[in-house]
Amino acid sequence: MTTPPGPGRVVLVGGGPGAVDLLTLRGRRALTEADVVVADRLGPVAVLDELAPGVEVIDVGKAPGHHTVPQHEINAILVEQARRGRRVVRLKGGDPFVLGRGGEEVEACRAAGVPVEVVPGVSSALSVPALAGIPVTHRGTAAGFHVTSGHDGLDALAVACARDGAATLVVLMGVAVLGRIVAQALAAGAVAGTPVAIVENGSTERQRTVRGSLGEIVAAAAAAGVRSPAVIVMGGVAAEDLLEGDARG
Ligand SMILES: C[S@@+](CC[C@H](N)C(=O)[O-])C[C@H]1O[C@@H](n2cnc3c(N)ncnc32)[C@H](O)[C@@H]1O
């Protein structure tokens, strides 16, 4: 199939973790040029109120456990809107290519012959820990990090990361399966005293951090009523006093 003449195109915009001022300038520019915005539940939803009159907003937001619009339908919406000659912004939380299924959306556009561009975003995987004062790498504590989805529990690579403790483990979509993740890590030999931090609603006024050791975090999270969206950080960098009077240089 061929693309009809006209400016129809899709721009995947990474919106960052939620605060409007963590959306990139390039992303904002794409929004000012949009005819239609296909939006998620997470990310800078407040920016939708600033769109010019006449810009259509299609909400395909997914709440955990309630996949209101299946991915294949989102792909179809993007293609169909662009084929009508419209400038489509697909506004996504964080970065489009970090556990965000942005790759599938690009594939769908390309398969349909629709021009598609990606505007990177500030991923929650790095920014939400940073906003809570947690560096995912820190000299002498962790020289690397591993980002994974907790949705189906930890895979072998993530379990190895939790066990070894040399790199920071960052888990997205892990709140509902926190008990399982912790059990997997402990069963693999991770130290029960490993610091863990869970940061909810990063960059919003409801941002909150709950901390505990690996052995305690399930009880701590339950007591605090931790909810999604949240980023789980496991490793030495999650220690509350990490950046207090650090003399290692
Ligand atoms: C489907 S993933 C999308 C990740 C996104 N592409 C990114 O780069 O941030 C959604 C998960 O990201 C995390 N997340 C996104 N925004 C967040 C926020 N503001 N605070 C805490 N966690 C967030 C949560 O773990 C949530 O379940």
Side-chain angles (χ1 to χ4, degrees):
M1 269 199 226
T2 54
T3 309
R9 63 185 165 92
V10 173
V11 185
L12 267 59
V13 172
V20 169
D21 56 0
L22 287 173
L23 174 60
T24 67
L25 294 174
R26 191 180 295 187
R28 272 203 107 108
R29 191 169 65 233
L31 283 164
T32 64
E33 294 169 355
D35 299 309
V36 55
V37 177
V38 181
D40 270 344
R41 180 183 65 94
L42 294 177
V45 286
V47 85
L48 300 175
D49 297 335
E50 300 170 14
L51 295 172
V55 177
E56 185 184 354
V57 176
I58 301 176
D59 181 3
V60 294
K62 297 173 189 169
H66 300 87
H67 283 209
T68 46
V69 183
Q71 187 63 48
H72 67 89
E73 278 182 34
I74 296 174
N75 298 348
I77 289 168
L78 298 178
V79 167
E80 196 248 330
Q81 291 289 329
R83 281 190 168 152
R84 287 201 220 165
R86 305 180 88 186
R87 293 165 297 182
V88 184
V89 163
R90 171 71 175 110
L91 181 63
K92 301 176 73 71
D95 181 90
F97 283 174
V98 177
L99 299 173
R101 307 192 71 171
E104 292 160 66
E105 294 172 5
V106 169
E107 282 176 337
C109 290
R110 288 189 179 158
V114 167
V116 58
E117 179 193 335
V118 178
V119 176
V122 175
S123 177
S124 65
L126 305 185
S127 64
V128 170
L131 288 159
I134 301 169
V136 292
T137 69
H138 187 60
R139 190 175 169 84
T141 303
F145 55 86
H146 180 75
V147 178
T148 193
S149 165
H151 192 259
D152 299 317
L154 300 182
D155 63 16
L157 200 55
V159 168
C161 179
R163 182 190 58 229
D164 297 347
T168 303
L169 181 62
V170 179
V171 184
L172 306 188
M173 296 174 274
V175 169
V177 286
L178 180 66
R180 181 173 165 195
I181 289 169
V182 167
Q184 283 183 286
L186 290 172
V191 177
T194 303
V196 180
I198 306 178
V199 188
E200 298 167 274
N201 296 301
S203 85
T204 75
E205 61 206 12
R206 287 170 293 124
Q207 179 176 317
R208 176 174 72 151
T209 306
V210 173
R211 293 178 197 259
S213 67
L214 188 59
E216 302 161 347
I217 193 66
V218 174
V226 167
R227 305 271 302 271
S228 179
V231 173
I232 302 168
V233 185
M234 206 181 285
V237 297
E240 190 153 21
D241 58 356
L242 178 79
L243 302 183
E244 303 300 331
D246 185 355
R248 281 176 303 224

